[in-house]
Amino acid sequence: MWRLNAVRHKAGRQGSDLEEFKFKRREHEKELRRARKDSQLVSKRLLLNDDEEEDGTMDTLASDRVVELFNIVRHGRDLVKKEADLRALRKALRSPSAHLILIKQPNSIAILVTNLCGPNPQCRLEAARCLHELSHSPHSEVDSLRLRQATPYLITFLSGQSPKFTELCLYTLGNMCPDSENVRDMLLAQGIIPALNNCIQIHRTNLAVVEAVGFTLSQLISANYVTGTIIPAVLASGLIPRLLSVLTPDSQFGLGPVIECAWCLHYLACSNVDNGALVAQGTLLHCTSLLVTLGVAVAKGSIEEGIELLIWPLLRCVGNLLLSGPLGALQPQLNDSRLLAALCAFPQAFLQTHPALARESIWVLNNLTAAADSSVFCSALFYLNLVPALIQLLPFSHGINIMVLRVLGNIAHQGREYCLHLAQAGLLPALCATLKMADTEVVTFSLEVLGQLMASDPQLAEEFVRQSGLPVLEAIQYSNQETIRLRATHLLEHHLPPHCTVDTSASQ
Amino acid sequence: MLQPELIQLLTASDLVDLRIDAIPKLQVGFRPGCFFSSSRSQDGEAKLTFIPQQILLNKDHELFEDGDIHRHLYLQNLSTCPAYDSPTARQCEFRCYISGCSQVFSTVEDYEHHYNTLHRHVCSSCQRSLPSARLLDIHIQEWHDSLFSILAERQDMCLVEGCGSKFRTRDQRKDHMIKIHKYPSDFMFDKVKRIKNIKIAKKNMLQKGTSMEVSMSVSEPEGVCEVLSDQPEEEEYMEINHSLEPGILDPASNPINTVELSTDHDTAPILSVTIQPTTNQQRPQHNRERHSYRVPRTVCFGQGSVQGFRGHGRRI
């Protein structure tokens, strides 16, 4: 299981072990980033059995005996003994080198599959575990195509009743999904989606299985080139309402299942195949409600570990679904004003730990405020006095201040009243500061917002001058970046009151 | 970490009406004749180009990178670590925009201090920055005003704000300031900048005829120089030349005074700061016509750098 508290034992390392762990982790992170750039970001999960630790002692002696163990399994006739034999084989397979040996044995997979479908339930379990180990293999030779004999059975078993066995089958299939397009097509043809739908329905009270379904589905739909057939199949399958019904965090079980389902919804929404259908089935409503709940939890200070893993996909889902239609039509699903408060609270809470999350939160605000009929949301931001919270994010880089400036620009574009309110909230002095920043893009956006403010009402131009903004604009005229030079000059020439000259003697 | 108002909003009781459609909507739109339509300049080119835009992000967008990495670390059981070093939010840096001055600062106060010290109240003739507009005026008048220098009546103004007394000679002014305004006698009365080496300064003095540009306030060579402080080398970026006091050429001057004046002060001189150019800096010619000559047009090395004479002569 991946309940977050189950992994806590790793935190007990001390000293150099910890440093080494951190070093490995950093290296690993770099690898993941490289993989993502190549669109090869893939993860597999290994289900731990009760009788072993994840990186506990590997019986290396046993792994050398893989051939022998396999032959015992192959030739054994005694079913009772067979279970023990399979268990021994499975333990040997904890060592990745054993995988290569095993697949070279003739009919190795066929034998395992025979046991998978055999009459003895315990044998089935052990055979499934063997296949599961193989599905998680780091060796590229042990790929899903080799395991394809097993898939029809694995898929069939998804409609079975025993949770543990079903979970194993699910994670095995989930590990196979990212391997290649061929594998995915095959799984699709073999009916994996209706099977998943059935499975989540049967086991809806068993959250471990639900988490496994979520994982497998997310692996299926997050792969490359899935928009053609797989995603439309998922959208049509009736899975969506089932995923949505999971979106209530069960504090006893932890966040695992909700996290997986949320990531599924994100992958569906960002593929933009039929977001209207997603909205129609209530996705936006459920996601925003959950975000509000999480916002309330964050406000109360109860930030559970790993909660950002849930907030992230929800933000992305909502952000992308906002483009699925005119905002006015989506309004009923967005009627809780606390959503805006939550979107401002997340950056404050996560700025130091996860600045990218802060940025994505503001991105959602951008999508709420940039539409043709966003005036209701812009008004709400003032009514709830949320603009100062946004202005406070302006000093921060990482793309955060640029996104905030976009939101402020969106608001300013609504009209004069909005510009006046922005000035009241203290935007002009904040712009004086952002205009001095080193990042050209920040300065460009600041000039745009400033231009809009000053154009809407001469009072604001005067206020800007009172805030000693003129020398700042003049200084920008010396920049070697043409974009900001031109804009600064334009503002000085067109939007400042006529009595303001370039003469610096008046300013101190 | 969260502001109280936000906490209040989110934890408010259910009795409060939270519906967005219940919130009064502000009036949309601009006043007729609003300048926004003039975001296009006279030649029809749009200068301000921002328009509100909803942004769709697909799965592989770079904005999603950090979140994806976090997710996969979790999937691979690597996300739990007691001291998780994730990227933290950085504050933006500030940059000085004066052409050629590419200094970067981590706080806005640092930037403003830099700007105020080196780029405000700058005399465009000799690139010195004066502490206030008044002293800049006095400086220009005394050092670069050709008409002023031709007049027989020299009028050195008292440097103290509010005291309008004028004097015929520098020494008279100096005495006045010491006696009346109780200035210390080693105050930098004559706005000397640091010279390390008088001899080289003298040598450059002789080379003054080769100025590269003519500023508006330049006074003409030889005839004027020996009495007054004005030097035609404004365009020469070796600031030392300007330090040649009348005292140096003035036969009546006391050599001791000269030495005193030429003392290299490591702390900023009270009245002026000279600005040294980088050797490969192009002068921004295009700005000259647009702005008054007080606007800085040269580069600086920053306040702390050595501003003394470097010994290699002219600006390249």
Side-chain angles (χ1 to χ4, degrees):
Chain A
M1 237 54 61
W2 282 272
R3 280 172 260 193
L4 288 161
N5 48 14
V7 203
R8 210 174 280 281
H9 71 274
K10 283 210 171 85
R13 291 167 203 256
Q14 44 324 37
S16 62
D17 230 5
L18 180 60
E19 277 310 308
E20 200 185 308
F21 181 74
K22 277 163 73 173
F23 173 75
K24 280 199 190 134
R25 197 186 152 281
R26 267 196 296 270
E27 288 305 305
H28 201 87
E29 193 182 313
K30 280 192 218 159
E31 260 176 56
L32 288 177
R33 287 187 194 271
R34 266 196 297 270
R36 188 178 186 274
K37 285 198 166 53
D38 297 332
S39 302
Q40 298 290 333
L41 184 56
V42 150
S43 292
K44 300 190 178 197
R45 281 184 133 177
L46 186 66
L47 199 52
L48 288 176
N49 300 302
D50 297 331
D51 57 359
E52 63 198 1
E53 281 183 12
E54 184 166 324
D55 48 10
T57 53
M58 284 190 245
D59 195 345
T60 48
L61 204 60
S63 70
D64 293 338
R65 295 180 55 215
V66 158
V67 179
E68 185 192 328
L69 289 169
F70 176 66
N71 283 327
I72 296 173
V73 167
R74 184 215 294 261
H75 300 299
R77 293 282 169 261
D78 181 347
L79 283 179
V80 174
K81 187 173 173 297
K82 184 155 282 195
E83 181 201 334
D85 298 333
L86 281 166
R87 193 179 315 131
L89 180 61
R90 180 253 295 169
K91 286 188 181 171
L93 286 174
R94 287 295 287 127
S95 157
S97 54
H99 301 175
L100 289 172
I101 302 170
L102 184 64
I103 59 170
K104 292 201 175 87
Q105 302 305 308
N107 296 328
S108 45
I109 305 297
I111 303 292
L112 286 174
V113 171
T114 310
N115 285 288
L116 186 68
C117 322
N120 185 324
Q122 290 308 313
C123 288
R124 283 189 179 186
L125 205 54
E126 291 298 340
R129 285 184 178 139
C130 290
L131 287 166
H132 181 63
E133 292 285 348
L134 289 173
S135 75
H136 189 258
S137 178
H139 298 294
S140 55
E141 297 92 335
V142 188
D143 66 0
S144 306
L145 283 175
R146 281 192 190 275
L147 302 175
R148 68 183 176 281
Q149 289 170 281
T151 56
Y153 302 97
L154 292 171
I155 292 176
T156 310
F157 288 138
L158 294 185
S159 307
Q161 298 289 337
S162 61
K164 214 169 184 180
F165 186 59
T166 308
E167 205 185 340
L168 263 174
C169 296
L170 281 166
Y171 279 114
T172 307
L173 287 166
N175 285 343
M176 290 171 69
C177 286
D179 279 354
S180 76
E181 211 175 333
N182 291 335
V183 170
R184 288 191 290 278
D185 287 343
M186 177 186 74
L187 291 172
L188 195 63
Q190 289 172 352
I192 191 172
I193 292 177
L196 287 171
N197 196 11
N198 225 7
C199 184
I200 199 174
Q201 175 62 13
I202 295 169
H203 295 277
R204 62 188 175 279
T205 54
N206 185 322
L207 295 173
V209 177
V210 170
E211 182 180 350
V213 171
F215 170 74
T216 306
L217 184 62
S218 75
Q219 294 281 87
L220 191 62
I221 57 179
S222 65
N224 296 324
Y225 314 120
V226 290
T227 52
T229 43
I230 295 184
I231 292 193
V234 173
L235 289 172
S237 66
L239 263 171
I240 310 296
R242 307 211 195 284
L243 293 174
L244 294 178
S245 65
V246 179
L247 289 189
T248 44
D250 185 321
S251 56
Q252 196 195 9
F253 199 81
L255 295 170
V258 202
I259 290 176
E260 297 309 315
C261 292
W263 281 92
C264 287
L265 291 168
H266 155 55
Y267 292 129
L268 290 170
C270 72
S271 70
N272 206 20
V273 168
D274 189 356
N275 285 352
L278 279 172
V279 171
Q281 295 180 64
T283 310
L284 195 56
L285 186 61
H286 276 81
C287 290
T288 50
S289 302
L290 188 51
L291 276 174
V292 168
T293 309
L294 293 171
V296 172
V298 162
K300 287 184 179 157
S302 56
I303 301 185
E304 234 181 292
E305 192 184 338
I307 203 170
E308 72 279 356
L309 288 162
L310 178 56
I311 298 177
W312 239 310
L314 290 172
L315 285 175
R316 294 175 177 192
C317 189
V318 171
N320 279 325
L321 287 179
L322 287 173
L323 280 97
S324 66
L327 212 56
L330 299 173
Q331 170 79 48
Q333 304 202 32
L334 299 165
N335 213 18
D336 190 339
S337 58
R338 290 177 301 172
L339 174 64
L340 295 173
L343 291 173
C344 293
F346 294 138
Q348 280 191 7
F350 292 101
L351 187 61
Q352 295 307 325
T353 48
H354 301 287
L357 196 148
R359 182 178 60 204
E360 290 183 34
S361 198
I362 312 287
W363 162 64
V364 178
L365 272 176
N366 171 72
N367 284 357
L368 276 171
T369 53
D373 37 4
S374 284
S375 51
V376 58
F377 295 102
C378 298
S379 301
L381 283 172
F382 288 122
Y383 186 80
L384 302 170
N385 199 22
L386 292 172
V387 175
L390 290 174
I391 290 179
Q392 275 168 17
L393 293 169
L394 285 173
F396 297 97
S397 60
H398 237 87
I400 292 172
N401 47 13
I402 293 178
M403 204 53 87
V404 173
L405 285 167
R406 277 188 184 275
V407 173
L408 296 169
N410 295 345
I411 299 174
H413 264 69
Q414 292 290 326
R416 182 175 159 267
E417 289 288 315
Y418 296 79
C419 292
L420 292 175
H421 275 75
L422 281 176
Q424 260 175 15
L427 182 54
L428 285 168
L431 285 178
C432 287
T434 56
L435 284 170
K436 295 170 190 157
M437 288 180 181
D439 185 334
T440 310
E441 210 181 345
V442 174
V443 178
T444 310
F445 274 100
S446 307
L447 288 167
E448 293 276 355
V449 176
L450 180 63
Q452 178 64 84
L453 288 174
M454 296 202 294
S456 68
D457 194 308
Q459 299 178 46
L460 297 181
E462 285 163 16
E463 177 62 28
F464 179 67
V465 174
R466 268 200 294 278
Q467 299 278 346
S468 314
L470 263 188
V472 183
L473 283 182
E474 287 159 6
I476 293 175
Q477 291 185 293
Y478 293 92
S479 161
N480 53 9
Q481 297 286 345
E482 190 178 354
T483 49
I484 56 182
R485 242 187 5 243
L486 289 177
R487 282 173 173 80
T489 311
H490 177 80
L491 291 184
L492 283 166
E493 286 172 4
H494 288 100
H495 294 291
L496 281 161
H499 62 267
C500 280
T501 61
V502 181
D503 184 15
T504 54
S505 60
S507 57
Q508 267 298 329
Chain B
M1 217 176 310
L2 240 70
Q3 291 189 314
E5 302 88 23
L6 267 177
I7 298 178
Q8 178 72 19
L9 263 176
L10 284 164
T11 54
S13 78
D14 296 323
L15 298 172
V16 175
D17 190 351
L18 302 161
R19 290 174 304 137
I20 285 195
D21 55 17
I23 292 176
K25 214 169 83 159
L26 289 173
Q27 191 188 8
V28 173
F30 296 93
R31 272 203 275 212
C34 159
F35 281 135
F36 185 53
S37 52
S38 69
S39 67
R40 298 186 170 274
S41 67
Q42 280 160 353
D43 56 15
E45 221 181 279
K47 294 288 191 231
L48 297 178
T49 57
F50 174 78
I51 34 172
Q53 237 178 344
Q54 288 183 312
I55 300 172
L56 185 82
L57 297 176
N58 68 25
K59 166 174 80 85
D60 297 315
H61 199 278
E62 58 175 359
L63 271 178
F64 280 167
E65 180 179 332
D66 286 349
D68 284 349
I69 300 301
H70 195 62
R71 154 113 176 123
H72 281 267
L73 286 172
Y74 159 72
L75 286 180
Q76 300 186 17
N77 276 349
L78 283 167
S79 63
T80 339
C81 177
Y84 181 5
D85 24 74
S86 50
T88 51
R90 278 186 343 260
Q91 296 229 8
C92 246
E93 294 178 319
F94 299 88
R95 178 182 299 156
C96 179
Y97 279 106
I98 304 303
S99 194
C101 175
S102 51
Q103 287 231 299
V104 171
F105 308 90
S106 54
T107 69
V108 73
E109 290 78 20
D110 285 348
Y111 163 71
E112 295 199 325
H113 183 61
H114 158 91
Y115 184 85
N116 290 336
T117 310
L118 293 171
H119 300 304
R120 261 188 200 259
H121 311 300
V122 169
C123 170
S124 68
S125 310
C126 62
Q127 287 76 50
R128 269 192 261 174
S129 168
L130 284 302
S132 72
R134 179 170 181 277
L135 289 173
L136 176 63
D137 283 341
I138 294 177
H139 165 84
I140 290 168
Q141 208 174 47
E142 293 184 4
W143 290 74
H144 305 300
D145 188 331
S146 47
L147 187 60
F148 186 73
S149 60
I150 281 166
L151 288 176
E153 287 273 322
R154 213 190 123 92
Q155 301 249 301
D156 279 345
M157 228 175 132
C158 172
L159 299 178
V160 174
E161 192 109 19
C163 172
S165 322
K166 295 185 160 78
F167 306 91
R168 282 210 64 225
T169 71
R170 291 278 163 87
D171 283 340
Q172 283 179 359
R173 172 175 71 188
K174 181 174 165 181
D175 285 340
H176 162 86
M177 286 178 68
I178 292 173
K179 289 206 183 76
I180 307 296
H181 297 296
K182 307 205 189 314
Y183 269 52
S185 54
D186 59 359
F187 186 74
M188 310 265 280
F189 289 102
D190 296 290
K191 303 192 183 63
V192 177
K193 74 192 125 343
R194 311 144 184 162
I195 324 173
K196 284 205 172 96
N197 191 329
I198 290 275
K199 279 201 293 240
I200 303 172
K202 261 196 187 153
K203 182 168 86 148
N204 274 347
M205 175 56 193
L206 299 171
Q207 294 167 349
K208 63 187 183 302
T210 61
S211 54
M212 283 166 255
E213 266 187 15
V214 180
S215 82
M216 294 190 291
S217 66
V218 79
S219 60
E220 277 331 293
E222 295 84 5
V224 184
C225 288
E226 65 274 6
V227 176
L228 302 167
S229 58
D230 200 1
Q231 308 298 326
E233 302 93 342
E234 294 87 345
E235 289 63 49
E236 290 180 335
Y237 285 55
M238 296 318 294
E239 64 285 359
I240 327 71
N241 300 325
H242 294 286
S243 70
L244 291 177
E245 284 306 299
I248 293 170
L249 299 168
D250 183 349
S253 78
N254 188 343
I256 297 171
N257 284 341
T258 344
V259 170
E260 182 184 73
L261 291 173
S262 70
T263 307
D264 188 3
H265 290 258
D266 286 331
T267 55
I270 295 158
L271 292 183
S272 79
V273 171
T274 42
I275 305 167
Q276 193 167 29
T278 51
T279 48
N280 55 357
Q281 182 55 39
Q282 292 297 329
R283 198 180 308 179
Q285 294 290 347
H286 62 280
N287 284 320
R288 286 180 71 82
E289 301 71 35
R290 288 185 61 87
H291 303 284
S292 76
Y293 65 80
R294 291 204 202 140
V295 172
R297 55 184 169 83
T298 61
V299 306
C300 73
F301 270 153
Q303 195 185 351
S305 70
V306 172
Q307 297 190 2
F309 183 56
R310 285 197 189 277
H312 21 85
R314 292 157 206 277
R315 179 181 82 89
I316 296 163

